[in-house]
Amino acid sequence: MNGGPATGGGRIAVRPRTAVAALVAAAALGLVTGGFLLPARSDGDRPRSAPAPVPASATASASAPPAGATGPVTAANLLGPAAFAPGIDSAKIHVADRYGDGSYANAACSGEKTLEQTLGGPGAHFRGLMTGTRTVPEDATQALLQSDQVAREVVGDARTPSLAQNFSDRLLLEEVPCQEEAPGHWVYGRTTAVQLAPDVTANWMGYYRGDLNTTGRAPEGEEPCGGIAVLRSGSHYGVLEVSACLGTAEMDRVVRAALSQL
């Protein structure tokens, strides 16, 4: 990236960024914790008010946490346009993918590096989600106009869950310095942890414009305008940067969707 994110727009508009937009994402697909069971239709042998029996196996399946990812990363592990509906019309979001190395949402405040420079590992899958089709010449996952960037995600396979945990920890540490900046400079907010299973976790931070930073940290009680998330599922790890101006509830939903797919 060439710098920090640019000042944000409205809640639904895409947030411009001066930094190279990196990484980022939907209907929430988080951990299912159970649901209400509707009464079965009555028949001659069962009173109308009696619910149909639910097999124990079905109940266990409904409440089972997602399993950590194994094996190579595929396109199915990356976030799709539908994750941003209804706030953004998914039909207007263009997707571009590539495999290799490159910037991954590490802003100037944390030191601009490529994924390989940070992790020293193999290449990863890059996906750009954009409302326009014009991209920067050297990277088709980055919109030419920053206002066109909805999100950008980078996902890799670390081969083992322990190494994926190591990678995700290091990637998160790269973003932490951006939580404290001089007043007037954009900042990330506090870290929010999401856990769908013991080895399916995410940490995300909201983005706040410089005019909201009056103390050197993100303001309390204010809604973010997009943000960044570091993801891990089993042996997979990733970084998702959301450039669209999403608030807390929307960011949490999109992060959970990305984590479930990872």
Side-chain angles (χ1 to χ4, degrees):
M1 297 178 64
N2 296 323
T7 55
R11 287 298 307 278
I12 298 302
V14 174
R15 168 170 58 81
R17 307 221 24 180
T18 57
V20 174
L23 305 169
V24 177
L29 301 176
L31 175 62
V32 177
T33 58
F36 294 103
L37 298 175
L38 298 178
R41 294 186 179 181
S42 60
D43 54 34
D45 299 322
R46 184 182 296 115
R48 179 177 294 273
S49 60
V54 179
S57 59
T59 304
S61 175
S63 60
T70 59
V73 172
T74 70
N77 298 120
L78 295 152
L79 196 63
F84 296 90
I88 302 175
D89 184 357
S90 59
K92 296 181 179 179
I93 299 178
H94 168 72
V95 174
D97 292 337
R98 70 175 180 84
Y99 180 84
D101 188 27
S103 62
Y104 61 93
N106 52 337
C109 61
S110 61
E112 298 180 19
K113 302 176 186 176
T114 67
L115 196 66
E116 185 175 358
Q117 287 172 332
T118 297
L119 302 179
H125 295 261
F126 287 70
R127 168 167 289 185
L129 298 104
M130 301 158 281
T131 54
T133 58
R134 292 186 297 168
T135 61
V136 298
E138 63 273 18
D139 190 344
T141 68
Q142 298 183 36
L144 184 62
L145 299 177
Q146 295 303 311
S147 58
D148 287 342
Q149 194 87 41
V150 175
R152 189 163 176 262
E153 186 178 26
V154 177
V155 172
D157 177 16
R159 311 304 182 196
T160 67
S162 60
L163 187 55
Q165 179 68 67
N166 176 276
F167 282 179
S168 62
D169 288 345
R170 289 160 63 185
L171 289 169
L172 182 61
L173 286 174
E174 287 288 323
E175 309 303 331
V176 169
C178 300
Q179 291 179 314
E180 294 187 33
E181 284 294 327
H185 191 285
W186 71 269
V187 287
Y188 285 137
R190 63 181 179 83
T191 304
T192 298
V194 176
Q195 182 172 29
L196 304 187
D199 61 347
V200 183
T201 62
N203 289 279
W204 69 269
M205 298 175 283
Y207 161 83
Y208 292 85
R209 302 187 315 267
D211 63 324
L212 296 176
N213 172 17
T214 60
T215 64
R217 297 185 67 89
E220 292 294 335
E222 292 284 349
E223 283 292 290
C225 184
I228 190 168
V230 177
L231 318 166
R232 183 181 79 90
S233 175
S235 62
H236 293 179
Y237 66 94
V239 181
L240 173 70
E241 185 176 42
V242 178
S243 297
C245 196
L246 305 187
T248 301
E250 296 162 307
M251 273 296 297
D252 191 72
R253 175 177 56 80
V254 169
V255 168
R256 287 174 180 272
L259 185 57
S260 318
Q261 252 177 280
L262 185 63

